Amino acid sequence: MSEICRICQFKLNEIIHFGKMPLANAFLTQEQFDHEYFFDLILCICPRCGMLQLQYQPDPKEMFHDHYAFFSSTSHKMSEHFLHFANDIKNTYLCHKKDSFIVEIGSNDGIFLKNFLHTSIKHLGIEPSLNVAKVAQENGIHTLSDFFSKNLSTQIIAKYGKADVITAANVMCHIPNITSVVQGVIELLHPDGVFIFEDPYVGDILEINSFDQIYDEHVFYFSVTSLQNLFQQFGLEIIKVEPQKVHGGSLRYTVAFQNTHHIDTSVHYYQRKENSQRISDPHIWKQFQKNVHEIRDNFITTLNDLKKQKKSVVGYGATSKSTTVLNFCNIQSDLISYICDTTPIKQFKYSPGTHIPILPYSEFQKNKPDYTVLFAWNHFDEIMQKEIDYTNSRGKWIIFFPQVKVL
Ligand code: SAH
Ligand code: TYD
């Protein structure tokens, strides 16, 4: 248990205790039911630096290994997102330089770095989950299968030199020892270079009550304010903040060594906004806690009503996020008969903790249910486009943010 802040060692304040949780991506077989791992999922805030974080996070080696279930490339929209991201970086930071070098932390199956193949820009991915790293390697993407750290930075420099750009998407918030990652970035980054990363934004979580973002892998929930507090300890500063529509509302942060780059007005905009929202004030999060309990009660009532009416109800997208919702609400297969998902490694397994069967997408296509809970709500536009026939033939969708609603 870490009852003190991982950034400034101040005593944490508890915001919400979700109870016992399994690992969000630990989809399992029936034989594994008896040995399932659970931990206490408790969201806290540091009253000093404002960083939201989990009180306890399981050992990263339990979560990121050779059978990690999350493959970034399952979403076309995310592929497009990373193509634009790569183009932005090429045009803004790499176009003026010969022999430039980009490193990605948490490169997964190569969804981002594939955009640097067949260019003059050297690239390197760091990806500890061996099975996803292998997919990238098989596609020609240079990938080291390891956890990023200061030590690894030293090895990278010896072999490839300093990086002009370091990126990380949806991974900084995963790493409990974040100060060691920042030290690794300082070591590896060229003095004029930039570190660009994106993660779900705590402001969006607060605004739409998306408590399903809270699970084992996400040890931190960043705001601009809390990140500034972190970076200034290391001589770095945020020079630009850009909102992103992905993962239910994210921010992209561009970070550089202090006084080397112009500070964009977006940084001041977010600082002012967060100040007026009092995003770092533990009292603001009390209302969030109330909203979360209300969503839980309404969701359970809605599903119980549908069961009484003998309606068929399934889930769409066996997301990591769904693990928090299902376990917090204790929803089992009597209320949601299965969850369809396009990821082969999840199929014919069961959801962590509540043991709802995960079936291929073809099951949903064959037998259209009366109601579908949209667990992959962050892909709303993509899925609504794909399922227009279901919706037009009176298929109903259940969403739960900002409150439970049947569409
Ligand atoms: N960047 C991808 C993957 C995000 S999932 C995307 O946005 O889709 C987070 C990834 O980070 C996983 O593939 C996980 O294996 C990796 N990861 C976790 N801890 C890490 C660490 N300490 N260093 C590097 N990668 C890490
Ligand atoms: P993701 O968006 O990464 O959410 P999380 O980070 O919470 O896991 O996961 C989306 C999941 O939904 C993934 O398992 C693939 C699945 N999915 C489908 O089954 N069909 C679809 O059309 C889309 C877009 C996703």
Side-chain angles (χ1 to χ4, degrees):
M1 289 271 173
S2 169
E3 286 173 5
I4 55 164
C5 174
R6 291 170 178 85
I7 315 290
C8 67
Q9 278 74 50
F10 211 70
K11 194 175 180 317
L12 294 172
N13 281 10
E14 181 176 316
I15 295 174
I16 182 163
H17 191 325
F18 290 94
K20 292 278 177 209
M21 280 283 159
L23 302 182
N25 265 310
F27 297 90
L28 69 176
T29 59
Q30 268 178 355
E31 294 72 52
Q32 294 170 316
F33 284 177
D34 290 342
H35 311 288
E36 206 171 357
Y37 173 85
F38 288 88
F39 73 104
D40 284 297
L41 182 68
I42 306 170
L43 179 70
C44 297
I45 188 166
C46 172
R48 183 196 249 173
C49 72
M51 183 69 83
L52 269 89
Q53 54 200 286
L54 296 187
Q55 187 175 94
Y56 172 76
Q57 193 194 31
D59 183 348
K61 289 193 180 122
E62 293 272 342
M63 300 181 281
F64 308 114
H65 36 53
D66 61 1
H67 49 281
Y68 185 53
F70 177 72
F71 285 73
S72 301
S73 297
T74 46
S75 162
H76 300 301
K77 277 272 173 303
M78 287 309 291
S79 236
E80 268 174 36
H81 170 78
F82 284 116
L83 169 67
H84 294 308
F85 188 8
N87 286 340
D88 273 0
I89 290 175
K90 285 178 197 168
N91 295 334
T92 317
Y93 296 107
L94 298 177
C95 59
H96 57 284
K97 241 188 144 172
K98 265 191 180 169
D99 303 325
S100 47
F101 179 36
I102 182 163
V103 174
E104 186 187 9
I105 304 171
S107 48
N108 201 272
D109 57 10
I111 188 167
F112 169 72
L113 284 180
K114 71 178 178 200
N115 300 301
F116 293 87
L117 278 175
H118 318 299
T119 70
S120 59
I121 301 161
K122 269 190 304 179
H123 70 268
L124 180 68
I126 314 296
E127 176 46 66
S129 299
L130 191 59
N131 59 329
V132 291
K134 270 192 177 150
V135 173
Q137 285 162 345
E138 280 160 16
N139 289 319
I141 297 158
H142 302 299
T143 309
L144 264 180
S145 191
D146 209 337
F147 289 89
F148 182 76
S149 64
K150 195 172 172 214
N151 270 349
L152 198 69
S153 281
T154 313
Q155 293 170 35
I156 297 171
I157 295 168
K159 203 162 168 195
Y160 302 87
K162 293 228 175 202
D164 300 288
V165 176
I166 304 176
T167 65
N170 308 301
V171 60
M172 284 298 282
C173 70
H174 287 56
I175 306 179
N177 198 356
I178 196 164
T179 51
S180 134
V181 173
V182 177
Q183 283 166 338
V185 166
I186 290 175
E187 182 91 0
L188 181 58
L189 194 63
H190 188 278
D192 298 330
V194 285
F195 171 42
I196 312 178
F197 68 99
E198 52 186 53
D199 276 298
Y201 179 45
V202 80
D204 289 310
I205 297 179
L206 181 66
E207 203 168 310
I208 62 168
N209 305 314
S210 47
F211 70 89
D212 62 349
Q213 297 279 9
I214 300 157
Y215 56 88
D216 56 311
E217 291 178 23
H218 291 168
V219 63
F220 293 113
Y221 305 84
F222 298 136
S223 61
V224 175
T225 314
S226 59
L227 283 172
Q228 288 282 39
N229 286 334
L230 165 67
F231 288 128
Q232 73 178 17
Q233 293 179 28
F234 294 92
L236 296 167
E237 61 189 359
I238 301 175
I239 58 164
K240 194 172 187 186
V241 182
E242 297 161 278
Q244 307 294 320
K245 282 198 175 137
V246 298
H247 286 294
S250 293
L251 287 187
R252 179 179 298 162
Y253 309 90
T254 303
V255 177
F257 288 104
Q258 281 172 0
N259 307 319
T260 58
H261 287 69
H262 162 78
I263 306 222
D264 189 72
T265 51
S266 54
V267 178
H268 308 301
Y269 167 80
Y270 274 95
Q271 281 173 322
R272 275 198 302 272
K273 185 167 173 259
E274 290 179 359
N275 257 339
S276 68
Q277 272 177 311
R278 291 168 45 219
I279 209 159
S280 305
D281 182 347
H283 293 101
I284 290 297
W285 289 91
K286 287 258 178 292
Q287 183 59 44
F288 173 79
Q289 186 211 50
K290 273 194 197 144
N291 298 346
V292 168
H293 283 107
E294 200 177 301
I295 290 172
R296 176 181 68 178
D297 296 346
N298 291 342
F299 192 40
I300 296 171
T301 308
T302 305
L303 293 178
N304 275 319
D305 286 350
L306 293 173
K307 183 180 174 186
K308 275 188 214 131
Q309 296 167 38
K310 301 210 174 344
K311 299 289 185 192
S312 55
V313 182
V314 311
Y316 197 112
T319 54
S320 330
K321 297 185 286 292
S322 65
T323 298
T324 295
V325 178
L326 292 169
N327 284 275
F328 183 53
C329 303
N330 192 20
I331 289 162
Q332 303 184 10
S333 55
D334 58 323
L335 294 181
I336 293 181
S337 48
Y338 69 87
I339 303 172
C340 72
D341 197 286
T342 51
T343 318
I345 197 173
K346 296 181 185 175
Q347 295 164 359
F348 304 109
K349 291 196 175 146
Y350 293 84
S351 65
T354 59
H355 305 163
I356 297 174
I358 313 297
L359 296 179
Y361 174 56
S362 52
E363 188 62 33
F364 180 81
Q365 285 175 304
K366 262 192 291 182
N367 297 309
K368 295 281 161 80
D370 300 317
Y371 288 78
T372 304
V373 180
L374 186 58
F375 288 120
W377 58 271
N378 47 313
H379 301 282
F380 186 87
D381 293 343
E382 181 173 352
I383 293 172
M384 287 304 126
Q385 247 172 34
K386 199 158 113 187
E387 304 304 344
I388 192 141
D389 290 344
Y390 169 66
T391 311
N392 286 343
S393 59
R394 294 210 221 139
K396 297 241 186 292
W397 296 94
I398 302 174
I399 55 162
F400 31 81
F401 301 128
Q403 54 208 0
V404 179
K405 221 176 184 179
V406 178
L407 305 179

